[in-house]
Amino acid sequence: MTIAAKDDGGRSESGGWPAGSSEIRALLRAHPWQSTPLGPIQSWSHTLRAAVDLTLDSPVAAVLLWGSDYIQIYNDLWITVHAVRHPRALGQRTHDCFPELLNVLDPVYQRVWRGEGVVMQDTSLPVLRQGNLENAWWNVVYTPIRGESGAVEGIFC
């Protein structure tokens, strides 16, 4: 996978943020964000934009869960995690995308939302893949992302 350098002032060939030509970057620019709780991409806060850049630039599979609705924004490496749910998972509530994980992950999200980082190592979680529920092993770090006021506004995974 090639990641485009940001030497064009944060602009891409199509003239928008986020810069770069990866699949997810193009989908982010084209997504109808105004129909999500995040609102139009042009109105996103500096904190949200910085968190998105962090997610997109991560060298490992990463997903950002933003706001109390846990709206998903993920990098190209996370596409394999979503499998058949991609690309509709982009901009979707994580609870709607992974209902099979709600009981397990909601307590984790609540801890992070209170400002606590959480590490899950060698954790088996049921995941729906290709129509079948199967156990998959995960190592995930959940980190709170704080806004300018100091309040948690999102979760970086």
Side-chain angles (χ1 to χ4, degrees), residues 1 24 55 58 60-65 72-83 85-86 89-90 94 97-98 101 105 109 138-142 156-157:
M1 178 180 85
I24 288 296
T55 302
S58 175
V60 298
V63 62
L64 176 66
L65 308 176
Q72 300 179 124
I73 298 172
Y74 50 93
N75 67 8
D76 288 88
L77 297 170
W78 191 265
I79 290 171
T80 58
V81 174
H82 279 304
R85 294 176 172 105
H86 173 72
L90 185 65
T94 195
C97 194
F98 290 105
L101 297 176
L105 293 182
Y109 297 156
W138 299 86
N139 290 312
V140 184
V141 175
Y142 299 89
F156 177 74
C157 312

Side-chain angles (χ1 to χ4, degrees), residues 101-123:
L101 297 176
L102 180 60
N103 292 335
V104 176
L105 293 182
D106 200 49
V108 173
Y109 297 156
Q110 294 305 314
R111 287 173 58 192
V112 179
W113 204 253
R114 290 190 301 266
E116 179 183 349
V118 177
V119 176
M120 293 177 64
Q121 290 183 310
D122 299 322
T123 303

Side-chain angles (χ1 to χ4, degrees), residues 9 22 29-30 35 38 43 50 62 72 78 85-86 94 100 107-108 111 118 125 127 137 140 146 150 152-153:
S22 74
R29 288 189 296 269
S35 65
L38 300 184
S43 69
Q72 300 179 124
W78 191 265
R85 294 176 172 105
H86 173 72
T94 195
E100 69 273 19
V108 173
R111 287 173 58 192
V118 177
L125 297 173
V127 179
W137 291 91
V140 184
R146 296 181 186 276
V152 175
E153 293 184 9

Side-chain angles (χ1 to χ4, degrees), residues 26-96:
L27 288 171
L28 274 165
R29 288 189 296 269
H31 192 80
W33 292 106
Q34 64 278 5
S35 65
T36 75
L38 300 184
I41 198 169
Q42 299 83 359
S43 69
W44 288 4
S45 69
H46 174 74
T47 303
L48 175 53
R49 285 174 169 255
V52 169
D53 282 334
L54 173 72
T55 302
L56 296 176
D57 292 339
S58 175
V60 298
V63 62
L64 176 66
L65 308 176
W66 197 259
S68 59
D69 289 322
Y70 306 124
I71 302 298
Q72 300 179 124
I73 298 172
Y74 50 93
N75 67 8
D76 288 88
L77 297 170
W78 191 265
I79 290 171
T80 58
V81 174
H82 279 304
V84 298
R85 294 176 172 105
H86 173 72
R88 73 176 168 78
L90 185 65
Q92 187 179 45
R93 293 178 65 235
T94 195
H95 288 73
D96 294 338

